[in-house]
Amino acid sequence: MKVKYSRGYKFQLKSNLVIQTRLRPSAPAIVQGYIFLGTDGKLFIYSGYAHNGATLAPDFKSNFIAVLVHDALFQLIQEGLLPDYHFKECNEELRDIMITEGTPKLIANVFYFGVSNFGKNFYKKITPVFEV
């Protein structure tokens, strides 16, 4: 995956990423022009999407896609487009993608522990989600 620096962010996608996730939202979650998560769990992250990489952890080749997906899913939660109860699934995606991309299981589990126990401290809810 090609990335470039964008002012204010560490990375910016130069090509689209499509990945199947375990999440199944009741309605599509969209950040216009950057992220689309369908009800079938397919996640599209579009060229131009900028993110900061791993928080309080190193960025390396085998965690890049996992961290990118995790950042995009967390953004959907932050913006109120995906309910908070998907928090655990987002963290599981991070761990599983890291393992698939070649990160040793022990390291992937350390990342999972970190985001599961401390991840909510690193994002602020932008818009509340109301269930009806």
Side-chain angles (χ1 to χ4, degrees), residues 48-107:
Y49 182 75
H51 69 109
N52 287 323
T55 303
L56 300 178
D59 294 304
F60 47 90
K61 187 176 180 179
S62 65
N63 77 354
F64 182 78
I65 293 173
V67 169
L68 166 66
V69 168
H70 193 258
D71 282 359
L73 292 173
F74 261 39
Q75 182 176 350
L76 294 175
I77 291 173
Q78 281 180 297
E79 295 194 16
L81 302 169
L82 192 62
D84 281 343
Y85 61 77
H86 288 292
F87 180 79
K88 182 178 184 214
E89 292 171 306
C90 295
N91 295 336
E92 291 169 348
E93 287 294 331
L94 173 79
R95 179 195 58 213
D96 295 350
I97 296 168
M98 285 179 73
I99 293 168
T100 299
E101 292 292 313
T103 302
K105 285 184 182 181
L106 177 63
I107 294 172

Side-chain angles (χ1 to χ4, degrees), residues 13 31 36 38 65 132:
L13 291 182
V31 174
F36 175 86
I65 293 173
V132 266

